[in-house]
Amino acid sequence: MRKPLKKAVLPVAGLGTRFLPATKVLAKEMLPVVDKPLIQYAIEEARAAGIEQFCLVTGRGKTALVEHFDLAYELEHTLKERAKTEALDLLRSTSMEPGSLMSVRQQVPLGLGHAIWCARAFVGDDPFAILLPDDLVLADVSWVKQLADVYAETGGNVVAVEDVPREHTQRYGILKVGQDDGRVAEVLGLVEKPKPAEAPSTLSIIGRYVLMPEVIAEIARFERGAGGEIQLTDAMARLIGRQPFHGLRCQGRRFDCGDKAGFLEAQIAFALKRPDLAGKVRDFLSRYV
Ligand code: G1P
């Protein structure tokens, strides 16, 4: 029996410099796609996989992310009085089970690995998911659920992967691939942000992981990797051979919302999925292109 997957860590301490000036006061993860902030998409995706406990790794100026999931008593009261049931439903979509959301601080931005290590007390001895809210997913089945299903079969670590153009390998963690059935690939090695010529493949890690708690001890060696940062990829690489490790090509589309063009594309793709907006959006798009 595998230990059930009930926990998720969401690193959200980044400065969001690529979206300045919008992110001067506003957390990047609070930027909406259509009408919902990125962080809420991530929480909903994790919930759809049966995750019950959430840990946000925050930093200075990020308290709005925690507030977003709190009860807005006055607003709720006013909406009730005015019988605004639709708005009330939307508001309630942000409610959490009492005690299911916690946050820890990453005081210094030392890298993704370090951010995850900050959540070590939350992780304890349990398997856990990681969601990077910048990677936004449009799929029929939650990507965390797709990873959790593979974890239930294979055990060990499972990461979401996608083929990227070779000239982009320097933006991602890249797999060295063993047995591969076109959906699930055995991971033989991992390299963080290799140059195109040095990349062992073009199969890249996307921001969804199911990891075993042993990765925390590997991060705690605090070795500096690519960009001088404490990299999650390097810590994961040290688990290979000791625990099963697989990459899963998930079904659905992923948008890189850490990038302006990717963020804009996500707006269009998500709006076109909305019955109340699709017609209008299609209409005005045809006037621009
Ligand atoms: C991080 C990880 C990288 C992964 C990527 C996915 O990089 O370090 O391995 O491929 O997320 O989005 P970052 O985007 O933080 O530079």
Side-chain angles (χ1 to χ4, degrees), residues 85-107:
T85 46
E86 241 175 83
L88 263 174
D89 285 345
L90 290 173
L91 192 60
R92 284 181 182 147
S93 72
T94 62
S95 73
M96 305 280 279
E97 275 291 301
S100 63
L101 177 71
M102 62 184 267
S103 75
V104 295
R105 285 262 182 166
Q106 184 192 27
Q107 292 88 346

Side-chain angles (χ1 to χ4, degrees), residues 110 113-114 117 216-225 230 238:
L110 294 177
H114 181 262
W117 176 80
I216 300 286
E218 295 305 324
I219 302 172
R221 286 162 60 166
F222 299 129
E223 283 171 20
R224 303 282 178 145
I230 298 162
R238 290 196 286 268

Side-chain angles (χ1 to χ4, degrees), residues 43-123:
I43 295 276
E44 287 177 4
E45 184 191 327
R47 269 188 180 148
I51 301 288
E52 292 170 358
Q53 290 168 268
F54 304 85
C55 180
L56 304 184
V57 184
T58 68
R60 262 177 78 79
K62 295 278 185 159
T63 36
L65 291 165
V66 181
E67 293 281 325
H68 182 72
F69 296 101
D70 203 352
L71 181 73
Y73 178 77
E74 286 169 19
L75 183 56
E76 198 167 320
H77 181 75
T78 309
L79 293 176
K80 255 188 223 156
E81 266 187 356
R82 298 186 184 167
K84 303 258 186 206
T85 46
E86 241 175 83
L88 263 174
D89 285 345
L90 290 173
L91 192 60
R92 284 181 182 147
S93 72
T94 62
S95 73
M96 305 280 279
E97 275 291 301
S100 63
L101 177 71
M102 62 184 267
S103 75
V104 295
R105 285 262 182 166
Q106 184 192 27
Q107 292 88 346
V108 201
L110 294 177
L112 179 60
H114 181 262
I116 300 304
W117 176 80
C118 289
R120 63 198 178 282
F122 169 81
V123 170

Side-chain angles (χ1 to χ4, degrees), residues 112 132 135 171-173 192-193 205-207 209 231 233:
L112 179 60
L132 311 185
D135 281 324
R171 300 183 194 170
Y172 298 97
E192 181 66 11
K193 300 191 169 74
I205 303 171
I206 304 304
Y209 311 70
Q231 296 289 355
T233 303

